[in-house]
Each structure stands twice: as C-alpha cells, then as structure tokens.
Amino acid sequence: MTTSPPPEDIRRALWENASAPNGLLRNARAEELVAAAESTGDRDLLRQALFGLIKAYEYSTERGKMMVPFARLLQEWDQDPSAFDSSDTYTFHWLFKWVSSGMLSLPEMPLASMEKWLAEMERRYRVGGYSERAVRQAEFELADDTGDTERAARAFAAWTAADRDQMANCHACELNDQGWYWLRQGQDEKALQVWEPVLAGRSTCMEEPHRVLAKSLLPLLRTGRADEARRNHLRGYRMARGNESLLPSIGLHIEFCALTGNEGRGLELLAEHASHLTSQGNPSARLEMFTGTLVLLQRLLALGLQTQPAVAYAGQQRTVRELYDILDSEAVSIAARFDLRNGSDVVSRRLADRRAGRPLVDSLPLGVRGASLTTVVPSAAVAPAPQEAASQQPLSELVAEARELRTQGHPKASSAWDRVDALVTERDEAPAPLLAADLLERRAVRAGHAGGDTVRSLFEQTVAAYRAAGDPSRAALNELRVVYAAAQTGAEPDEIRKLLATATASAQALDPSDPTRTRRIATVALSALKLEPALRDTDGGELVLDHARFDSDLAAFVTEFAGAVTQEGGELGDLLSDAEQLRAEQAWHSGDAERADELFASAAGRSITAGRPWDAAESLSRRARLLLMLHRPQEAEQAARAALTHGAELVEPDELGRIRLTLAEILYQRDGKESEAALYALEATHWFDAAGDSAGAGAYARLVLAQAYGGSGRAAEAAEVLESALPDLLEHGDERAVQARETLARNLRGLGDHRAAAEQYLLAAEVVKGWEHQRPHAQLATLAAECLAGAGMQDEAVAAYHRAVDLWETVGEAVALARALRSLAWLEAQEGDSRSAKDLMGKALSAVDGDGPEFLLERARTWTQTAELLLDDLYEYDEDDEGDEEEDEGGSEDGGEAAAVRREALVLLDRADAAFEALGAEVLDERARCVVRAAWTERELDRTDDATARVRALIGELSALPSDDARSAVRRLEHTLGQLTPPS
C-alpha cells in the first residue's frame, strides 16, 4: 500500500513547481501533485494542486488539457462555494478566460460546446458581479477565430467599451489582442499605435512585450521603420526563445528573417525550436509556428536551396525540400480541421495569405551572425544581374564603357566587364581578339582574388593574348601581374627577379608615343620597391626591413615621377599616393606618428586631385585611426567621415566594411555618439559578411556594434549580437576574447542576468590570470564577485571577493582594495558574522591611510559604511528581541549596549561628515545621506534637539549654494526634518 506524502510536503512541491520552467516536465509534475493531493483527502490542498496544474497547462503547448482539471474545480465550486476563500474565488473566475481560449486551440472542440461555454461564463460572471468586458473579449476571440467578421466587430466594440474590472485581462494583453485586430483589418499604423505602450515598456506582463514585439515586425517594415523592426526582433526573440507557450511568436520571428534576406538566421531560429515541430500539443500554436517556418522554407526553395540541410524532423535530418513537403501537408491538414469545426475557410485563407508573403526588403542587416547557406545569395554590393543589364546596351557601348572605367581605375570597372562577359557568353560568338584578351584578363584577375595554382598560368595566357591582339601596353601590365602571381605561389627570389626584369623591359620597350608608357614604367618601379624587401637573401635568418632605406627609395620614386606628370602629361597621382601611403605606414610603425599623419593626408590629397577619390578612402581611414591614437578625436572623426564620402563609389564589400568600421570605432569613443556608431558598425557587419569574412573582421565589427548598443542603453540587442559572434572572437587572441567576454558580461548584467554575467567575468579572469600585469585580473575578479552577489550566490561571491582582495593587494591599488574589502564585509554581515565584517571594514580603512582627496573620500565612505553596518546589526538584534521593552539608554544591560553601539556609529558618521565637507560639492549627495543617518541615530538616542540642529545646519549651509544638486539635497533634508519633528 502506497503511503501519501504529508500535505506540507505537497504544498512545498506545489510552490517549487510553480517556479519551474514551462513545459512538459512541469506539466507532468503538476499532474503527479494533483493525484498526491487527492489522496490526502484535503479539499483545500486539492484545489491548490488543480490551480497549479491549470496554470502549467496554460503556459505550455498543452493548453487544451486544462478543461479536465477545471471541470473538477467547477464541481468543487458547485458543491460548496464557501470553501473557496477570496483569493481562490478570484482565481476560479479568472480561469474561465483561459478555458475559453484553450477551447479555441482545439479543432476537435465543437462550435456548439464553445458557444455553450461562453454563455456559462457570462452567467457566472454576472452572478459574481463582474463586468462584461472579459466575456465580450472571449466572444470576440471566438468570432474572430471562426471567421464571423460582423459578430467580431460587434464584440470588439462591446469589449473595448465595457468597464475594466478585476476580471479584465491585463492591459498589455488586451492591447496585444486589440492591435492584432486592427492589423488583420490592414491598418498597420493603427495597430502600431495601439501597441505603443507595450512596445515602449509602459505596459508589461509575463508574456508582454514578448508577443507584441513579434507581431510588430512586419508592420514596422511595411511602414518604413526598419531600424525599429530590427531592434524588436533582437530584443523580442531573446525574450521568446525557448518558451513553448510562445511558439506563435517564434514563428513570426522566423517569418521576419525569411522576408528580410536573413534566411540563414531563420534556419538558426528554427533549429533552436525544431523539437516543437513534432509536438502533439496545442494545434493552433503548432500551425502558427508551421506557417512562419513554411514562409522561410519557401524562400529557401526560391533561392535554389532545395538540398540545403534544414533541421531534424521525427529524428531524421531533413533537407529544405523534405521539410517543406512534410510541414506543408501538416499545416494544410490542421487548417482543414479548424475550418471543418468553424464552418468556414478562415484558417486556410489566413495560412495562404501569410505563405504568399514576399520579401519586404532585399537585405536588412541584423548585426547577428547568421548560419551559412550552401548557395551564396548575391549581396546588395553586386551590380544588377549581368544578363538583364547586358541586354539593355549594344556590346560595343558596353565594351567602350568598361574600358573607360578600367582606364580611370574606377571600382565599378569589374562589374562592367562582368556585363560584357555575360553578353558575349549569351551570344555564343567568338569575340574579337582584343576583346577576348580583355575577358581573359578579367577572369585572371577574378581568379587572383580567389587564389589558386592556375592564376600565374592565366596571366601568362593574358600576356600572350594581348601581344597577339596588338596591345603591348596591357601585355606589359599583365607581365607585372605574372610577377605577383609567382610571388604568391612561392616562387624563388631569383625567378621573381627575372620575371620583374622582363616586366621592366617590356614597359621601357613601349613606343615613346604610347601615352601609357610612363605609367607602365612607374608601376613596375613601384612594384619592384614593394617586392624588394621580400626578395633579399636572409640566409635562413629572419628578414629585418631597413625602414630608412625603404622610405628613402619611396621618396625618390615620388620625386622622380612627380616630375614626369608635368613633362609627359601622364596622370600618376594614384601611384604617388600609393607610395606616400607606404611611407606613412613606415613612419607610423617607426614611431613618427606626426610625420605619418602628414603623409596620409598627402596621399589622400593626391588621389583626390587625380580624380580618383575612391583611392583616397583607405588613406583617410588609416589617418583617422592614427588621429584617434594621437588623442585627436574630432580630427579623427572628420577624416573617417571624409573616407566614407570619398569611398561612395567603392563596391568591394571588404573595403566598404573597413571604412564603416573605422568610423564606428571613432564615434563609439566620443560621448553621446554611441547610437550613430551602432549604425555604422551594423553596416560594417553586413559588408564583411558579404565579403565572406564573418569570422574575422565581421566578428570584430559585431563586438564594436555590441559595445555601441550597450553604450546607448540597448543591452538586449548588444547581448544577442555578441553571443552570435563570441565563438569567432574567442579565436582572435586572448586580448580580444577577454574584451568580448567583458562586454557580454556587462550587458547581461544590465539585463539583470547576474549569474550569466558572473560566468563571463570568471571565464575572462581565467584568461588574464597568466598575464604579467594583474590589474585586469583583479578588475574581472571584482566584477565577478559583484555579479555572484547579485545572483544570490553568497558562498561563491565571498570566494571571488577574497580572490579580488588578494589581487588588489598584489597590484597595490589601495582604493580598489578598500572597495573590495567593504563589499566583502557586507557579505560577511549578511551571513551573520558581524565581527568579521567589522574587521574587514578596519582593513579597508587601513588600506587608504594616505594623503590625497581620493584616500580621504574612501575613508569617509568606510566610516559611513562601518556605521551603517553597526546600526543594521543592531536593528536585527532589536527585531529578534522585539518583546523586550527596556531599550532606553540608562535601562537594561541590553539597552545600554545598544546605546553604546549607536554612540560608536555616531562618532564614525561625524568623521565621515567632516571628510565629506572637506571634499566639497562633488560629494554633496553622500554628505547629505551621512547627515541624515547621523540625525536619526541621535533621535534614537533621545537627542532630538541635536538631531534637528544637525539637519538645520546643513540646510543653512547648502541653501547658499546655487547648484541643482544643492537644492535637491535641501528638499530631502527638509523632508527629514519634518519626520524628526512630527507635529504634536
């Protein structure tokens, strides 16, 4: 025979299960506790267990199950309503709403049964004296879900017109449903207006703004507020993630990713919730998630990703096509079941309408790193589809345009040649020899960017093709490219020198009348200078660059060919700019930053004068970084903005990313510009992703983005972005890894997730513990201790503070040591060890026994906190002995000890007050709080006149000061004075 557990054990288990994570395990435990409560025969305990089970069902995928336990509660009520106290009575009536909406989620629930239930709910609420507001909302939901639009409109009007009372849904939940109604009427702006209090955080509850954030995504995009949509996605998904009662919201986030060019991110979100695809719980919630998922899968199919791995379904990994076919069948089936129940096609129509959605933007950068897809989707950086663009112009015009852009060194020359190549391929005709050589050159250059063993061979073929076509100038240029290809594939120095000599001879052999001759000679000469350091024979030793000689050679090049511009009319500004930028880099690395600044500025100027502003962008960007290092932030910002302006015609994603990242870094370090920094960092992440560098520069850009988000109060977005980039950043070296973890921890702490923040601080501390300088270790240990304390992990916090104290002693920073000791003292006091706490305060005081205002300030704070510690301990003692009436100064021994403690605390507060006074207006607020605490202590010693005199004296002193801080402090002191001297 099984023995029932004691009722007190069941009550404790009910309390524990109430705070357990939502889901099937919590539901199963709640079911066990109902059976256990019933076995005791305790009807009150059974009611509590039934309440707990219904609540567990409500916040899970098994909402439909709540009708059985509620039917049992209904029986209990009908048998003896008096057994329900006021709280149970309220909960009992509240649950009618949950049951009503739960019925709607089950297609097998007959419409007649729901109508009968609605009537029963209305009768019970009327008998209970409640407003009809909740009933009319339930009627609206029934009409809306079943497609009765006229009844839904009437019920909506009656619902919103009825008085709010204690049975009305919370304001945030009501706004959610009201906005959704307007959204279905096609009124995006009206819906967003209704949702505004929830989105702004003024109206919240357990599941809001989670749901409204998800519902707002597409309306925001349709009304042109992409930045808000991005923000709501990052913040809202973080709130909804892993919560099975919010699967419809997860579906909306997946749909948003599908319609904004973030298909990879959509797959990641789906993978995190793939286990719910086969859940047999709430059919309505499953359909909502299926719908968002099908929008994503349709998008992937449209991109040609049929064989892209999707997620597992029923224990088997599925491709996009396989999963689409499965979920398509499931969704259509569920919708048909609802339509059969409703007697309408409303559910199927809504499913079809959402699935018909098309991308609202080509690409909306989110900042987070998305999963890679097996087929590359063209980025916004690429020109229009070659076939489409090529068909709009004759081939001769396209070729002329491409050659002109190439001559200018224009960034769009590459895409122009791509259009030419596409049209030639489309015509399937052999091009003229010169055009064939041009196309071969384009393919060789493209191969050179991609790398590979065939690059040199392609350039050698290009040289031969140009010579055969009668263009020795371009043949000479490509002979130089052969040199670079050989160097990149590891050719020996002697071979590279021979190839370089061939390129030099070819340039010099050009006809003197050839307008490109000077440019070709200068190009080879500059390339020789660049390659020479790597060609020196080091006899197996490490190559040491002779910076002075290299700079001298570059200077000579500039001098020689600057004159050639005037003599022969060639435009060599880009080559001279390149040489001066190399000189600037040499000066920077040699420690001559001022000279580097001058050379970067000169290099940029030469590019602009030569009519090639896009070439100036890199010089200006590098100059901006240098100026920031030189603590000239305003000039740095100007240079970075100029780089962005001059780089407007650049098309290479990595270049676009670098320029924006530089500006973002500079803006982040300027007070008040964090939001603008985030915009440029976000753009940088997009371009680095397009360049295929998500793990490198893209990861660092995400770190800057997270820092900027955090600095502008957007901690949730910062954490979401940084968590996606953290695996990559951990591969960037210890310093970057520590920076990333510290930034993530700071934002997690801002979200109130102290445990997770502490974990990041501790992991960072493990990295820096081996560093030569231990200050970062001490800082991270202290921050970890603070977070552990905030998470209620007292033992771990104490250990972390001891570690921090030891480190600060090693580092020799007295102020930080004193602060850590004080924090540790408070933790010891919380554990009841007041003696240890007081000793630690004494050590903190000794640590700052030096001259200077910073030491005086810390002594004042230590005196104040020691006094507070003594008084707090005394109050706890008083509460423990509340029945002892002999507390006066001259009464019992305990009363005398209490008075002695208060006098000791008062001495400490007086010392602190004198120190704060000496420190002046900077610590006015701390001084006012110190005086208030001292005044109340005197009042407790029955020295009211002294207490009021103390406060009046400070009021008089501060009243003469003109600052807002002084006026605010006076108001607080006057309030305290009124409390110290209540009217007789």
Side-chain angles (χ1 to χ4, degrees):
M1 179 176 180
T2 304
T3 304
S4 300
E8 57 270 21
D9 289 352
I10 297 174
R11 286 191 174 87
R12 186 183 306 109
L14 286 170
W15 179 82
E16 292 172 350
N17 201 47
S19 57
N22 298 329
L24 300 182
L25 291 178
R26 179 186 176 188
N27 294 358
R29 180 58 173 154
E31 291 166 355
E32 293 173 358
L33 292 173
V34 167
E38 190 168 24
S39 69
T40 66
D42 185 329
R43 311 312 297 170
D44 177 68
L45 183 60
L46 176 60
R47 284 196 302 276
Q48 302 312 310
L50 289 170
F51 285 144
L53 178 57
I54 293 169
K55 185 174 183 179
Y57 284 151
E58 169 68 12
Y59 293 106
S60 74
T61 57
E62 297 184 315
R63 293 184 69 209
K65 286 186 175 183
M66 72 172 66
M67 284 170 285
V68 173
F70 187 77
R72 297 181 67 183
L73 270 177
L74 198 57
Q75 292 175 354
E76 292 285 322
W77 174 271
D78 289 340
Q79 290 174 8
D80 185 9
S82 66
F84 288 65
D85 62 20
S86 59
S87 176
D88 288 351
T89 298
Y90 169 84
T91 304
F92 169 72
H93 284 88
W94 182 272
L95 295 181
F96 272 88
K97 300 183 298 180
W98 286 6
V99 174
S100 175
S101 60
M103 286 181 169
L104 287 172
S105 69
L106 299 175
E108 61 269 23
M109 181 61 63
L111 197 58
S113 297
M114 292 191 290
E115 292 286 4
K116 181 179 179 182
W117 177 260
L118 181 64
E120 180 68 11
M121 176 182 175
E122 184 169 11
R123 182 183 72 81
R124 299 267 182 171
Y125 272 40
R126 187 167 53 250
V127 171
Y130 299 117
S131 163
E132 70 168 350
R133 188 178 182 94
V135 177
R136 297 285 76 83
Q137 181 176 358
E139 181 185 8
F140 162 76
E141 291 170 353
L142 174 60
D144 184 61
D145 277 21
T146 56
D148 189 341
T149 55
E150 293 184 3
R151 184 185 183 188
R154 291 195 305 272
F156 183 86
W159 159 31
T160 54
D163 292 336
R164 281 186 58 83
D165 67 351
Q166 59 182 334
M167 277 301 120
N169 280 342
C170 83
H171 190 228
C173 290
E174 283 201 331
L175 293 177
N176 171 11
D177 292 337
Q178 290 168 16
W180 193 238
Y181 172 73
W182 292 116
L183 190 66
R184 282 184 168 168
Q185 308 305 309
Q187 298 192 41
D188 288 342
E189 288 288 1
K190 177 70 172 178
L192 293 168
Q193 181 183 358
V194 170
W195 284 331
E196 193 275 335
V198 182
L199 295 174
R202 296 194 303 274
S203 186
T204 62
C205 71
M206 184 181 295
E207 292 190 334
E208 297 297 352
H210 315 43
R211 295 180 298 176
V212 168
L213 285 167
K215 291 178 178 178
S216 73
L217 298 175
L218 298 186
L220 284 169
L221 281 178
R222 288 193 291 263
T223 54
R225 287 136 75 174
D227 189 57
E228 289 181 59
R230 177 192 301 111
R231 180 181 304 189
N232 288 0
H233 168 64
L234 294 178
R235 188 161 64 102
Y237 180 69
R238 189 174 188 84
M239 291 178 170
R241 178 196 285 134
N243 192 333
E244 67 175 36
S245 70
L246 295 176
L247 290 181
S249 297
I250 299 300
L252 290 171
H253 283 285
I254 292 172
E255 181 177 358
F256 169 78
C257 291
L259 300 181
T260 57
N262 291 286
E263 296 85 2
R265 164 108 172 142
L267 274 179
E268 285 186 337
L269 271 54
L270 178 59
E272 291 182 354
H273 298 85
S275 62
H276 295 294
L277 293 176
T278 54
S279 168
Q280 295 304 310
N282 186 334
S284 178
R286 288 186 74 211
L287 180 59
E288 290 294 311
M289 185 177 175
F290 284 176
T291 305
T293 302
L294 284 167
V295 174
L296 170 66
L297 296 174
Q298 286 174 180
R299 180 64 186 149
L300 293 171
L301 290 173
L303 294 172
L305 300 173
Q306 291 87 343
T307 59
Q308 163 79 36
V311 297
Y313 184 92
Q316 182 179 342
Q317 182 66 37
R318 310 286 182 167
T319 64
V320 167
R321 167 56 68 183
E322 290 169 344
L323 186 62
Y324 174 84
D325 291 341
I326 293 170
L327 297 189
D328 174 55
S329 175
E330 287 263 7
V332 169
S333 174
I334 294 173
R337 289 161 58 200
F338 275 110
D339 286 345
L340 181 63
R341 189 272 306 274
N342 297 336
S344 71
D345 65 347
V346 62
V347 177
S348 293
R349 279 192 290 106
R350 288 172 179 170
L351 170 64
D353 287 346
R354 280 180 64 185
R355 292 180 62 175
R358 294 293 178 265
L360 297 174
V361 293
D362 290 336
S363 177
L364 178 67
L366 299 178
V368 291
R369 183 179 181 187
S372 298
L373 302 176
T374 54
T375 299
V376 177
V377 181
S379 76
V382 179
Q387 292 82 354
E388 178 184 349
S391 63
Q392 297 174 0
Q393 284 180 274
L395 178 60
S396 59
E397 290 184 10
L398 284 173
V399 172
E401 178 186 349
R403 286 172 177 162
E404 177 60 26
L405 290 172
R406 184 177 64 187
T407 299
Q408 296 172 7
H410 200 288
K412 294 181 180 177
S414 295
S415 59
W417 282 114
D418 287 340
R419 291 194 295 273
V420 171
D421 196 3
L423 186 54
V424 169
T425 302
E426 182 183 317
R427 290 185 173 185
D428 196 23
E429 297 175 2
L434 183 57
L435 178 56
D438 288 332
L439 295 177
L440 181 58
E441 179 187 54
R442 172 62 189 144
R443 290 163 194 163
V445 170
R446 191 186 298 119
H449 289 315
D453 297 334
T454 63
V455 177
R456 178 175 174 177
S457 174
L458 284 170
F459 278 122
E460 288 172 341
Q461 294 173 42
T462 302
V463 171
Y466 273 123
R467 292 205 181 281
D471 191 341
S473 175
R474 293 214 68 80
L477 176 61
N478 282 280
E479 281 184 327
L480 183 57
R481 288 171 171 165
V482 171
V483 177
Y484 280 108
Q488 290 171 357
T489 53
E492 292 295 324
D494 286 344
E495 183 183 1
I496 295 173
R497 285 196 180 93
K498 290 178 182 178
L499 292 170
L500 192 58
T502 299
T504 301
S506 294
Q508 292 174 341
L510 291 172
D511 192 289
S513 64
D514 189 326
T516 67
R517 182 174 184 273
T518 301
R519 168 172 286 277
R520 295 291 179 259
I521 292 171
T523 302
V524 174
L526 182 58
S527 297
L529 290 176
K530 292 179 180 179
L531 289 168
E532 180 56 31
L535 298 178
R536 292 178 190 152
D537 186 1
T538 60
D539 295 327
E542 183 177 348
L543 176 65
V544 178
L545 179 63
D546 186 338
H547 293 281
R549 175 182 169 185
F550 189 45
D551 181 72
S552 176
D553 290 343
L554 289 168
F557 171 86
V558 172
T559 301
E560 177 183 355
F561 287 99
V565 171
T566 302
Q567 292 170 11
E568 299 190 33
E571 295 183 357
L572 304 182
D574 57 320
L575 298 177
L576 303 177
S577 173
D578 193 6
E580 288 201 325
Q581 180 158 323
L582 285 170
R583 295 184 67 200
E585 297 288 354
Q586 291 297 312
W588 189 350
H589 292 306
S590 300
D592 193 347
E594 294 296 338
R595 183 162 170 270
D597 178 37
E598 293 175 5
L599 287 165
F600 277 131
S602 177
R606 288 184 184 278
S607 294
I608 295 168
T609 301
R612 299 172 64 139
W614 49 84
D615 286 338
E618 183 177 359
S619 297
L620 288 166
S621 186
R622 292 291 291 156
R623 181 174 183 240
R625 289 184 178 277
L626 176 62
L627 289 167
L628 188 63
M629 186 193 76
L630 294 174
H631 306 292
R632 293 156 61 183
Q634 186 172 355
E635 294 176 76
E637 181 181 338
Q638 291 172 350
R641 290 190 186 279
L644 188 66
T645 300
H646 290 303
E649 293 190 273
L650 291 172
V651 295
E652 292 300 324
D654 60 333
E655 295 176 331
L656 295 167
R658 284 198 303 272
I659 293 170
R660 283 155 179 78
L661 179 57
T662 297
L663 181 54
E665 288 182 273
I666 291 168
L667 291 171
Y668 172 64
Q669 296 189 44
R670 303 207 66 191
D671 290 342
K673 297 192 174 185
E674 294 87 354
S675 294
E676 190 180 5
L679 291 176
Y680 290 113
L682 178 67
E683 291 180 7
T685 66
H686 167 71
W687 291 118
F688 285 129
D689 287 346
D693 195 14
S694 297
Y700 178 63
R702 287 183 169 85
L703 173 57
V704 176
L705 175 59
Q707 290 173 327
Y709 275 155
S712 53
R714 297 161 66 172
E717 296 159 81
E720 193 73 11
V721 166
L722 198 45
E723 284 173 346
S724 76
L726 189 60
D728 294 326
L729 290 166
L730 296 180
E731 301 298 321
H732 286 211
D734 287 352
E735 187 173 345
R736 186 61 50 76
V738 169
Q739 187 182 16
R741 289 198 185 278
E742 191 276 333
T743 303
L744 177 57
R746 184 168 62 250
N747 285 289
L748 289 170
R749 189 177 185 180
L751 293 170
D753 193 347
H754 296 285
R755 181 186 290 266
E759 180 183 2
Q760 292 301 324
Y761 280 132
L762 289 170
L763 288 169
E766 280 299 299
V767 175
V768 304
K769 71 179 182 180
W771 290 5
E772 179 181 356
H773 301 291
Q774 285 293 284
R775 191 174 190 280
H777 190 189
Q779 289 176 315
L780 291 166
T782 303
L783 291 166
E786 292 172 1
C787 291
L788 289 167
M793 302 169 68
Q794 299 293 95
D795 292 344
E796 293 84 351
V798 168
Y801 269 121
H802 277 295
R803 179 184 183 183
V805 165
D806 291 342
L807 288 166
W808 287 124
E809 286 178 337
T810 301
V811 173
E813 291 199 17
V815 170
L817 173 60
R819 291 173 180 174
L821 286 164
R822 290 200 302 263
S823 297
L824 184 55
W826 283 109
L827 285 177
E828 294 287 5
Q830 289 173 17
E831 294 297 310
D833 193 346
S834 57
R835 181 182 297 276
S836 175
K838 190 173 179 180
D839 289 344
L840 288 165
M841 287 293 186
K843 290 180 180 178
L845 193 62
S846 299
V848 288
D849 185 18
D851 296 328
E854 69 277 14
F855 292 114
L856 180 60
L857 176 60
E858 293 306 320
R859 287 200 296 274
R861 288 171 174 170
T862 306
W863 285 323
T864 302
Q865 291 189 38
T866 305
E868 290 174 347
L869 189 149
L870 292 170
L871 294 170
D872 287 357
D873 187 52
L874 180 62
Y875 295 144
E876 291 181 11
Y877 176 81
D878 288 347
E879 290 173 4
D880 291 340
D881 294 285
E882 195 172 338
D884 189 350
E885 297 179 359
E886 296 185 23
E887 285 274 345
D888 59 88
E889 185 174 350
S892 69
E893 182 178 348
D894 288 345
E897 289 178 358
V901 171
R902 290 188 173 102
R903 286 194 294 270
E904 181 184 357
L906 195 58
V907 169
L908 294 170
L909 291 169
D910 283 336
R911 290 177 185 169
D913 181 25
F916 285 134
E917 181 181 8
L919 290 165
E922 294 297 322
V923 292
L924 190 150
D925 185 66
E926 290 186 78
R927 185 185 177 197
R929 283 189 276 112
C930 175
V931 167
V932 168
R933 191 65 191 259
W936 280 111
T937 303
E938 288 193 299
R939 167 72 181 274
E940 288 156 356
L941 288 167
D942 293 328
R943 289 152 51 176
T944 303
D945 290 344
D946 292 338
T948 56
R950 180 189 293 268
V951 176
R952 286 194 178 97
L954 186 56
I955 289 174
E957 181 183 334
L958 299 185
S959 296
L961 300 178
S963 70
D964 291 338
D965 289 341
R967 285 189 286 271
S968 177
V970 166
R971 286 193 294 270
R972 292 199 306 273
L973 290 165
E974 288 174 341
H975 178 71
T976 299
L977 189 61
Q979 292 178 314
L980 289 169
T981 56
S984 57

